[in-house]
Amino acid sequence: MPSLDLPVLPKPRVPKRYVVAGLVYLGILCQYSMRRNLDVAIVAMVNTTSEDQLDTSGADPPAKPEFDWSQTMIGVLFGCFYWGYILTKLLGGYLSYRFSPVRVLEGSVFIGSIIHIIQPPAARLSVGTFIFTIFLQGCSEGMTMPSAFSVLGAWSQHAEKSRLSSVVFAGQYIGMAIGTAATGAITNKLGWAGSFYIFGLLGVTWGIIADLFIRELSLEIAPENPEDDSFLGDDTDRHSVSAKTRPPPKVRPPVPWKRLLTSPPVYSIVLCQVCLKVATHLMLIYAPLYYVHSFHIDANLTGILVGLPPLISGVCMPLSGILADSRYGRQTRSTTVVRKALTTVGFLGLAACYILLAISTSLGMSLASFCAAGAFVAVSMGGGFNVNPLDLSPSFAGLIGGISTSCSHLAGSIWVVIVGVLTKHKTNHEWSLVFTVVACLLVAAAIIYLVFGSGEEQPWSRGEPDKKTLTFASPQGPPDMKNGFTRATLTVQGHVEEDYTVHDDFTRSSDEEELPLSEEDGKVKRFDGR
């Protein structure tokens, strides 16, 4: 029987940009899992009994908690993380622009994990020491999101910008869901400190594995053109790990600080980040205390219920990014229209959910409103304003992300303290007031983004002037009406040129031979070749 020569199929190879995106996704997931530990563990650490429960309950008083912290002190604990967080946001964006953003991300998550492990003994030592460690953790983790924006700006292709970024940033909400649900279960089994140790070790492990991948696969330097095929398994690319064959770093232009900081689309992103952060703080940070105060449920059930909204956000966010990049999104409509549409739908839907929370009196209605809020958060972030820094400027996306998240976490750090003061009596009326204020802020942000938002790359990102200028490219200078073929050039933002030809038959010499003219490629030529 004759042998058949079958073609040898090439081995499937994974693009490097997907490996980089996977590392960023897992790092963000580990970090946000750690961030939820205190939000859920605080229920077991302090006394969370409300005044309504004390008035109506005839049962034995609950056991004395380990820490006797007031509701205002809890707000301070929640806020001190963001006081450190905002200090390094802009620094993280700048370091990611000047150096390897993958390395900045790795260091941010790794150092934050080390600090997270030492927080339980710090809390037992004194509340001041605990506040200091939370502050340091915020300083470390503040550089994560700006560096993630820089990584995506360097490695993502234009056609899959929304999809890749939405999948990566979904790690925030998947991590929150895992951290919330797991912390409640770990607290019941091992005590409140167990989750700090477990999630801290997971972050340290990720840092070690990420460092090995970065060194082995030469992921520090992004390709000059993100559209090219950067595959794993390429022998020539593997040798680029060597310092001798590694390409020299490209020269980076100076940051256009003045034009960046005076850009209306940038400010619209900042406002959306601020209002969404205020809203998600209620859904993520204060939700455990809200459920305990209003419905008197235990810590284990609280962790499961509060973990549902971020889980829904994490699942729906990639779908929003796919919709933005699909033929129903950016391929048939402008990027600006897609960003504004998804942001508006997400913010107005989220505002409606908080209005329902303000008037809800049952656990089922409250939980349904929180879950719907998680879906609308995913809509606005997956394909809306959260991807917008990559549209405005791929090169300076990390700086824009650093500015917007710095402002949002500054507002968030103040807001968590305000919520602690407004809910000091732990009553349903106080929570209703808080939810109503947040709903009004979301509606205002949606309107402003509709007016000033943009999905197009800005001129300052390419080093171009903002205004149109009229220049003359003719060697004869400005067009002279007496010379029939003087050329004038209209320059728009330094790239597009249009030729205008002035033809005056009255100035032609009487003995000059009439020659037919034709236009080809926008230029006037004679048929005689001159």
Side-chain angles (χ1 to χ4, degrees):
M1 184 176 179
S3 61
L4 298 176
D5 294 332
L6 298 177
V8 179
L9 297 177
K11 295 181 179 180
R13 295 177 293 181
V14 180
K16 270 190 176 182
R17 63 183 183 274
Y18 294 156
V19 178
V20 173
L23 288 176
V24 178
Y25 172 84
L26 293 176
I28 292 176
L29 186 146
C30 290
Q31 187 178 96
Y32 276 79
S33 298
M34 291 186 294
R35 198 174 297 181
R36 295 312 313 278
N37 294 160
L38 180 61
D39 304 340
V40 179
I42 197 73
V43 176
M45 295 170 67
V46 301
N47 181 17
T48 57
T49 305
S50 65
E51 292 184 354
D52 296 338
Q53 188 177 10
L54 289 176
D55 294 337
T56 58
S57 177
D60 296 333
K64 184 178 180 181
E66 185 172 353
F67 303 100
D68 188 17
W69 295 333
S70 65
Q71 189 73 2
T72 302
M73 177 58 69
I74 293 174
V76 173
L77 291 174
F78 287 156
C80 65
F81 172 87
Y82 297 101
W83 298 339
Y85 200 67
I86 61 178
L87 291 179
T88 54
K89 280 288 184 180
L90 191 57
L91 175 63
Y94 181 76
L95 293 178
S96 299
Y97 177 68
R98 300 299 301 176
F99 306 103
S100 171
V102 183
R103 287 295 187 187
V104 177
L105 176 79
E106 178 196 2
S108 174
V109 178
F110 184 80
I111 296 175
S113 302
I114 296 293
I115 298 174
H116 196 67
I117 294 175
I118 66 174
Q119 283 182 347
R124 291 180 173 128
L125 182 62
S126 67
V127 65
T129 307
F130 189 40
I131 290 176
F132 181 67
T133 58
I134 295 176
F135 174 81
L136 290 181
Q137 186 180 10
C139 291
S140 173
E141 296 184 6
M143 294 182 284
T144 298
M145 295 310 295
S147 60
F149 275 109
S150 295
V151 171
L152 292 175
W155 285 90
S156 61
Q157 293 185 347
H158 180 73
E160 58 185 19
K161 186 187 305 178
S162 297
R163 282 174 288 180
L164 198 63
S165 60
S166 62
V167 170
V168 169
F169 293 135
Q172 303 175 65
Y173 295 95
I174 298 295
M176 291 176 187
I178 294 174
T180 302
T183 299
I186 294 172
T187 300
N188 280 349
K189 297 293 183 180
L190 304 177
W192 65 267
S195 60
F196 286 82
Y197 299 133
I198 292 175
F199 285 105
L201 290 175
L202 287 178
V204 171
T205 304
W206 174 88
I208 297 173
I209 295 175
D211 185 73
L212 295 176
F213 269 90
I214 292 171
R215 294 178 184 274
E216 177 64 21
L217 303 177
S218 185
L219 302 180
E220 286 185 292
I221 301 176
E224 291 293 332
N225 181 12
E227 308 292 331
D228 65 1
D229 293 330
S230 298
F231 289 111
L232 294 176
D234 190 348
D235 293 334
T236 59
D237 197 52
R238 284 181 178 272
H239 290 304
S240 65
V241 178
S242 172
K244 296 180 180 180
T245 59
R246 181 176 297 168
K250 58 184 178 181
V251 179
R252 294 178 173 86
V255 180
W257 287 110
K258 181 178 179 180
R259 301 173 71 187
L260 189 152
L261 295 176
T262 56
S263 175
V266 172
Y267 280 103
S268 66
I269 296 175
V270 172
L271 180 63
C272 288
Q273 285 281 12
V274 168
C275 294
L276 188 70
K277 184 60 62 178
V278 168
T280 53
H281 274 1
L282 288 180
M283 184 173 66
L284 301 173
I285 295 179
Y286 270 106
L289 293 176
Y290 164 72
Y291 278 113
V292 171
H293 293 169
S294 300
F295 305 106
H296 318 310
I297 56 180
D298 59 21
N300 189 21
L301 183 58
T302 299
I304 296 175
L305 295 179
V306 176
L308 287 177
L311 179 62
I312 293 173
S313 296
V315 172
C316 295
M317 192 177 295
L319 300 179
S320 177
I322 293 172
L323 176 63
D325 282 341
S326 67
R327 65 187 182 92
Y328 298 103
R330 188 162 48 84
Q331 295 182 13
T332 57
R333 298 172 179 84
S334 69
T335 307
T336 301
V337 172
V338 174
R339 299 290 182 247
K340 289 185 177 182
L342 293 177
T343 301
T344 303
V345 171
F347 272 45
L348 295 182
L350 187 59
C353 291
Y354 278 106
I355 293 296
L356 292 176
L357 282 168
I359 63 176
S360 64
T361 57
S362 64
L363 178 61
M365 182 177 179
S366 174
L367 182 61
S369 300
F370 262 126
C371 292
F376 285 114
V377 168
V379 170
S380 62
M381 294 190 68
F385 76 93
N386 195 52
V387 192
N388 216 182
L390 301 175
D391 300 323
L392 301 183
S393 176
S395 300
F396 305 117
L399 288 173
I400 299 174
I403 293 171
S404 61
T405 51
S406 295
C407 296
S408 66
H409 285 95
L410 175 61
S413 65
I414 299 173
W415 177 247
V416 292
V417 178
I418 293 175
V419 173
V421 174
L422 293 178
T423 59
K424 60 182 178 179
H425 299 296
K426 310 173 186 178
T427 61
N428 291 335
H429 176 73
E430 292 174 336
W431 287 109
S432 297
L433 175 62
V434 171
F435 290 137
T436 303
V437 171
V438 173
C440 295
L441 292 176
L442 291 170
V443 173
I447 295 173
I448 293 176
Y449 188 79
L450 274 176
V451 176
F452 297 104
S454 175
E456 307 303 324
E457 186 174 359
Q458 299 299 296
W460 46 263
S461 175
R462 302 184 297 265
E464 300 173 0
D466 290 324
K467 299 181 179 180
K468 298 180 180 179
T469 58
L470 180 66
T471 61
F472 298 96
S474 173
Q476 291 88 355
D480 187 358
M481 298 301 295
K482 294 182 179 181
N483 296 325
F485 296 95
T486 303
R487 174 187 168 199
T489 303
L490 179 65
T491 303
V492 182
Q493 295 183 353
H495 282 293
V496 182
E497 293 188 354
E498 297 180 4
D499 296 338
Y500 294 86
T501 302
V502 182
H503 188 186
D504 189 354
D505 290 335
F506 297 101
T507 60
R508 186 185 304 277
S509 175
S510 60
D511 58 350
E512 184 177 355
E513 181 184 358
E514 289 286 346
L515 294 175
L517 301 177
S518 69
E519 289 190 10
E520 180 180 358
D521 297 332
K523 296 183 179 180
V524 179
K525 295 183 178 180
R526 294 178 181 269
F527 280 117
D528 61 355
R530 286 182 294 167

